[in-house]
Amino acid sequence: MAEHVHATAGTLYGVSVGPGDPELMTVKAVRIISEADVVAVPDAGRGVGAAQSIADNLLEGKEILLCPMPMTRDLAVIDQTHRAVADTLCAILDQGKSVAYLCLGDVSIYSSYGYLHRLVSERGYPTEVIPGVTSVSAAAARLGTILCEGDERLVIAPFGDEDAAQLTDGNTTFAFLKPRRTDGDPRTWLAEHDLLEGAQMVTKCGLPDEQVVSDLAATDGEIGYLSVIIARSHARAEGSQPAML
């Protein structure tokens, strides 16, 4: 429930910039970024982030707001950080300025913007979400694979989700996101859940240092955080037809 409506405030836009390739930004995303008074970007303290680099050709002359987003699982730190960033955003909106907050992939899937959207909306400021191409769909396209057909199930989950891994009824495709170093070698976990055979991966999809792995079991290198791992609990028969259209 909004505290009160700020009739003269600017609008906060959560703008999806896609997984990496600037050409995968939507026409609306490009327009909103171009028209925004301020462009906000998540800052993990590691230099220019992926979301900012994707939209780089639209940012010349723009006021850039770096929004601290520390990589931590400490919920108290996360909450404190989000509230502080929301305070900053609201102060800008109070000036009647519009803000485009850039999000890697799609805003609605594991994005830091979701928390900010709720905090700012609850305070009565106008907000709008601009959808985009997900890392999951982009990775599947890059691998040349179809995620689900007919009555097959598609499960998108954080890597290591034990509940998701139990859906092994022979009719599920998994898209696991954001494997962390602290989780150990993802291949070990996948093997333990009978998901390693046939698993594929795209790391930093669409970015200059993209890595495409068509057979994850045959590799032994480190798997980065910006990775999408696609695995199946079934072996789709070559040339098989969907069971349901």
Side-chain angles (χ1 to χ4, degrees), residues 26-206:
T26 66
V27 173
K28 188 168 186 177
V30 171
R31 177 177 65 79
I32 294 295
I33 295 169
S34 299
E35 295 176 353
D37 298 305
V38 178
V39 174
V41 295
D43 178 23
R46 301 174 182 173
V48 176
Q52 183 176 350
S53 66
I54 292 168
D56 183 63
N57 65 332
L58 303 173
L59 303 183
E60 184 175 354
K62 289 287 185 182
E63 179 182 345
I64 305 297
L65 173 67
L66 298 180
C67 301
M69 289 291 163
M71 300 293 286
T72 177
R73 290 184 175 180
D74 187 322
L75 296 181
V77 172
I78 293 172
D79 182 67
Q80 182 180 21
T81 299
H82 287 150
R83 291 184 181 280
V85 171
D87 289 342
T88 302
L89 292 172
C90 289
I92 295 173
L93 298 175
D94 280 332
Q95 300 172 37
K97 295 181 177 181
S98 60
V99 180
Y101 186 98
L102 307 188
C103 301
L104 189 62
D106 181 85
V107 169
S108 65
I109 299 179
Y110 301 123
S111 165
S112 60
Y113 175 76
Y115 306 97
L116 301 175
H117 180 84
R118 286 191 292 272
L119 289 170
V120 174
S121 295
E122 287 168 358
R123 298 180 190 185
Y125 292 88
T127 57
E128 184 176 341
V129 170
I130 311 301
V133 176
T134 71
S135 61
V136 174
S137 55
R142 191 69 183 85
L143 290 162
T145 189
I146 303 302
L147 288 172
C148 48
E149 298 176 326
D151 60 355
E152 295 172 346
R153 179 193 297 117
L154 172 63
V155 174
I156 300 174
F159 182 80
D161 188 315
E162 291 292 338
D163 290 335
Q166 300 309 309
L167 301 173
T168 54
D169 61 358
N171 206 33
T172 304
T173 299
F174 298 93
F176 292 117
L177 309 182
K178 302 184 177 182
R180 298 173 184 263
R181 293 179 181 177
T182 54
D183 294 329
D185 189 332
R187 282 164 289 244
T188 301
W189 187 87
L190 289 166
E192 290 172 350
H193 293 83
D194 296 321
L195 292 172
L196 182 57
E197 183 179 356
Q200 301 173 294
M201 179 184 74
V202 180
T203 298
K204 297 185 177 180
C205 187

